[in-house]
Amino acid sequence: MSGSHRLRFMPIIGIMLGLSLLTGCAIDKGSALAADFAEDWAGTPDVVDVQTTKNNTLPFLGTATGTLTVGDGTPADRVAGLAEEMRKYVAAHDNVTGQIAADGITFIVVADRERATETVTLWRSLAADDRVTGADIDDVSSKDGDGWRIEIISRDAGAALAIFKDMVADGDRHQPLSDVTDVKVGTASGGRPGLVVQTDHQGTVPTDAIAAYEAVRARSAIVRASLEPDRARIVVAAGADREHAEELARAAAPSLGAALEVVSDRDS
């Protein structure tokens, strides 16, 4: 074989060798991370299910999320122990997000020890509150830093409002997480009476919307309501005096203006 032919084949051989080396790093990295998570946590005592999702963004790049579902009746201290094991795992595995689902509440486990401890503390109090039927605690990252997004489902509208007020205050039964950027508490979809009350993404509390809601609730039956910092929608029962309810709401929250809507269930 001539020297020119040898030179012509050398780049091809180099490319093939390069590809063979890259196969040591999975092309679909998200899939590989998810598979590793499932294998690493398979058979863990008190864990009844291991679920994973994957995101293969580009060749050799990707992320994965793994969720451990804990069996019913597992002691709280055991759940806390699993969370600590998960914290160490995500700290050692880049691009992996870990979650634990226990007692109807799913919470993220971050690598930072202090923040991870906060979520477990909140999980304990929510799990012990019989007004709570489900919740999700998630991490939110932005250019301003790390924060939290919390969504809670409660058994009824009264409980939803009480839990929300607890979460956004200094903490009574439920100690709020640091740097919370988004809190949403509501009743289950389709429940009557229904309520959804939430902050905006900067943690602003819907003080005026709550005032309008409470003013109406004191005099009229409310079928459902949605309360946010810059708007409110209140639906009163078909037999209620809608106009009077609206007067009460506007007197309590004049700043909302046109963003405050009071309608009858008969018309909604």
Side-chain angles (χ1 to χ4, degrees):
M1 182 181 293
S2 68
S4 61
H5 284 154
R6 284 196 300 271
L7 290 174
R8 187 179 303 163
F9 287 123
M10 283 180 65
I12 298 174
I13 295 171
I15 291 172
M16 293 176 66
L17 287 172
L19 288 173
S20 66
L21 290 173
L22 285 173
T23 55
C25 299
I27 294 178
D28 293 329
K29 185 172 182 178
S31 297
L33 291 171
D36 288 345
F37 185 98
E39 181 178 353
D40 292 341
W41 291 94
T44 301
D46 300 309
V47 173
V48 296
D49 190 33
V50 179
Q51 293 288 331
T52 61
T53 59
K54 58 185 181 294
N55 182 19
N56 296 308
T57 52
L58 290 170
F60 310 108
L61 295 176
T63 60
T65 297
T67 303
L68 307 182
T69 299
V70 180
D72 293 340
T74 300
D77 287 347
R78 171 55 178 157
V79 175
L82 285 169
E84 175 60 14
E85 293 177 36
M86 177 71 77
R87 185 194 68 79
K88 294 176 180 178
Y89 185 90
V90 297
H93 294 78
D94 292 339
N95 301 314
V96 174
T97 298
Q99 298 182 137
I100 292 178
D103 293 317
I105 300 166
T106 300
F107 62 95
I108 193 169
V109 180
V110 297
D112 181 81
R113 185 187 299 274
E114 183 175 349
R115 296 184 79 231
T117 299
E118 281 190 87
T119 57
V120 172
T121 299
L122 180 56
W123 169 80
R124 283 180 182 271
S125 63
L126 291 175
D129 190 339
D130 60 7
R131 300 172 302 175
V132 175
T133 61
D136 184 80
I137 305 169
D138 200 3
D139 180 50
V140 180
S141 297
S142 69
K143 62 181 181 180
D144 299 321
D146 295 325
W148 300 103
R149 181 175 64 246
I150 305 169
E151 294 189 16
I152 300 170
I153 302 298
S154 67
R155 70 183 184 206
D156 57 49
L161 187 57
I163 293 169
F164 179 84
K165 288 181 176 181
D166 192 338
M167 290 296 304
V168 299
D170 292 334
D172 180 13
R173 182 165 185 171
H174 304 299
Q175 184 64 39
L177 300 177
S178 61
D179 302 317
V180 173
T181 56
D182 195 337
V183 177
K184 179 179 180 180
V185 184
T187 54
S189 178
R192 291 170 70 97
L195 174 65
V196 174
V197 54
Q198 63 190 89
T199 68
D200 61 17
H201 297 310
Q202 286 72 48
T204 306
V205 178
T207 305
D208 291 342
I210 291 173
Y213 174 81
E214 291 185 319
V216 174
R217 184 178 64 168
R219 298 292 186 87
S220 302
I222 296 177
V223 175
R224 57 187 174 276
S226 176
L227 312 177
E228 300 178 50
D230 60 349
R231 64 178 59 87
R233 188 172 195 271
I234 301 171
V235 181
V236 295
D241 186 338
R242 189 208 64 79
E243 291 184 357
H244 182 55
E246 183 174 2
E247 290 174 2
L248 293 171
R250 294 197 181 283
S255 63
L256 288 178
L260 172 59
E261 183 181 10
V262 180
V263 300
S264 171
D265 190 38
R266 178 176 52 246
D267 305 321
S268 64

